[in-house]
Amino acid sequence: MTEEVQWLVGVAFGIVAMVGGFIVRDRQTAKQIKDGDDRLHDRINRVRDDYVRRDDLHNHITRLDDSIKEMRQEMKEETTKTNDRLDRLLAEISKK
C-alpha cells in the first residue's frame, strides 16, 4: 500500500473511533440521567404513597371535630335530663 492510502485508512479508523467514542459517551450520559430520574421519581412516588394529602387530612379532622361536638351536645342533653330526674326525685323525697 502506498503511504497515502495508509494515511487515509488511518484517518478513517480515527474518525470511526472518535464517532464511536462520542456515541458511547452520549449513551452513558443518557443512562446516568435516566437512572437519576428513576431514583427521583421513586422517591416522589414513595412520598405520595406514604403521606396523606393535606386536604384529605383536613376533611378527616373536620369530620372528627363535628363528631366530637355532637357527642358533647348529646352528653349535655343527657346530663340535663339526669339532673332534672334527680331534682324531681329530691323534690319528692323532701315532700315526704
Side-chain angles (χ1 to χ4, degrees):
M1 275 207 255
T2 65
E3 192 174 309
E4 291 175 357
V5 174
Q6 287 178 350
W7 185 83
L8 188 60
V9 169
V11 168
F13 279 133
I15 290 174
V16 168
M18 194 163 56
V19 168
F22 289 149
I23 291 171
V24 168
R25 183 201 62 198
D26 289 346
R27 286 187 178 178
Q28 186 170 2
T29 302
K31 183 182 180 305
Q32 287 176 344
I33 290 171
K34 184 183 179 309
D35 290 344
D37 287 349
D38 289 345
R39 283 194 312 268
L40 177 63
H41 290 296
D42 182 53
R43 287 178 56 198
I44 290 170
N45 290 338
R46 274 189 285 130
V47 168
R48 184 192 65 213
D49 294 341
D50 292 345
Y51 293 98
V52 178
R53 287 188 13 206
R54 178 171 257 166
D55 57 343
D56 289 343
L57 180 63
H58 179 71
N59 291 338
H60 185 67
I61 297 294
T62 302
R63 279 197 320 255
L64 287 174
D65 286 343
D66 293 343
S67 296
I68 290 172
K69 286 177 185 175
E70 288 175 13
M71 288 174 59
R72 283 184 183 161
Q73 186 62 32
E74 289 173 4
M75 288 176 66
K76 280 183 181 179
E77 291 171 3
E78 286 297 319
T79 303
T80 303
K81 287 179 184 178
T82 303
N83 288 341
D84 290 343
R85 286 186 206 144
L86 287 174
D87 289 344
R88 278 187 265 133
L89 178 65
L90 289 175
E92 289 293 321
I93 291 174
S94 65
K95 288 181 184 177
K96 290 183 181 182

